[in-house]
Amino acid sequence: MEPVTVAQGVIDLTFHQVVAAAIRAVLAAHGVAVTEVISAPHERAFQDLRAGRTQLLVGWFPGSHSTYLEPFKDDMIVLGEAEGSAPVYDPYCIWGVPDYVPVEVVRSITDLAKPEVAAQFVRTVQGINPGAGISRFSQEIIERYSLDLQFVEGDIPKCCATYEAAYAKRGM
């Protein structure tokens, strides 16, 4: 019998990469060889799956990626969506508050709308790639809570550099 092989698509974020490596190990233990791993930003990873360049995609979250999968979801098997099953993994998007801001000052996202709290932060939320759930959720949060913040698209290196620069200046 000829071995089963697949090309694995992975959304190019570290936590998806870690899960993808674990899935490759499980597949190998069951006789499935991953012949190629294609890492790509969100939208392109789903385009690769739809076009057949990959046969397996690691990085599906209904709240984050449904816009990419919906056009061809009926042609796919989505693990974790069968009735009574659990998702393969289920991270969530969060915003962090720097440690120089006392926990008593920011206990919830609504606290960020208070002028005395807002003054302690840079007024820009630096996003990662446009298709990322955290990017879309951040824009929704800014609007939903009427936060005086600007959202800027970017990538992971820019997001990290922006955070490090703001932290070094203590947000001012």
Side-chain angles (χ1 to χ4, degrees):
M1 183 161 89
E2 199 169 311
V4 177
T5 62
V6 296
Q8 182 188 52
V10 184
I11 292 177
D12 199 14
L13 294 173
T14 55
F15 61 97
H16 293 300
Q17 296 289 345
V18 169
V19 173
I23 290 172
R24 285 194 299 276
V26 170
L27 291 171
H30 292 279
V32 178
V34 176
T35 57
E36 184 177 14
V37 177
I38 300 173
S39 296
H42 296 72
E43 187 173 11
R44 197 176 92 220
F46 283 91
Q47 290 168 349
D48 287 345
L49 180 64
R50 187 175 195 178
R53 288 184 289 274
T54 59
Q55 292 77 50
L56 169 70
L57 176 61
V58 177
W60 157 246
F61 304 135
S64 297
H65 308 132
S66 60
T67 57
Y68 302 123
L69 185 61
E70 284 305 320
F72 63 103
K73 186 176 180 184
D74 290 343
D75 300 328
M76 299 288 121
I77 296 171
V78 180
L79 299 178
E81 286 203 344
E83 190 172 323
S85 68
V88 175
Y89 63 120
D90 194 16
Y92 56 93
C93 302
I94 60 169
W95 283 359
V97 176
D99 59 2
Y100 60 81
V101 177
V103 69
E104 304 80 39
V105 173
V106 180
R107 292 195 178 275
S108 74
I109 199 155
T110 57
D111 291 332
L112 296 175
K114 297 175 183 173
E116 68 276 13
V117 174
Q120 298 183 52
F121 295 95
V122 173
R123 310 307 315 144
T124 301
V125 175
Q126 176 63 60
I128 58 173
N129 50 320
I134 186 71
S135 293
R136 287 199 330 277
F137 296 150
S138 292
Q139 293 172 71
E140 292 171 13
I141 288 167
I142 289 168
E143 185 176 325
R144 180 178 302 141
Y145 292 96
S146 301
L147 301 176
D148 183 23
L149 299 171
Q150 175 189 11
F151 180 84
V152 178
E153 295 288 0
D155 54 30
I156 292 174
K158 184 164 184 149
C159 183
C160 292
T162 300
Y163 171 81
E164 289 170 1
Y167 189 90
K169 293 186 214 175
R170 294 290 200 246
M172 301 299 159

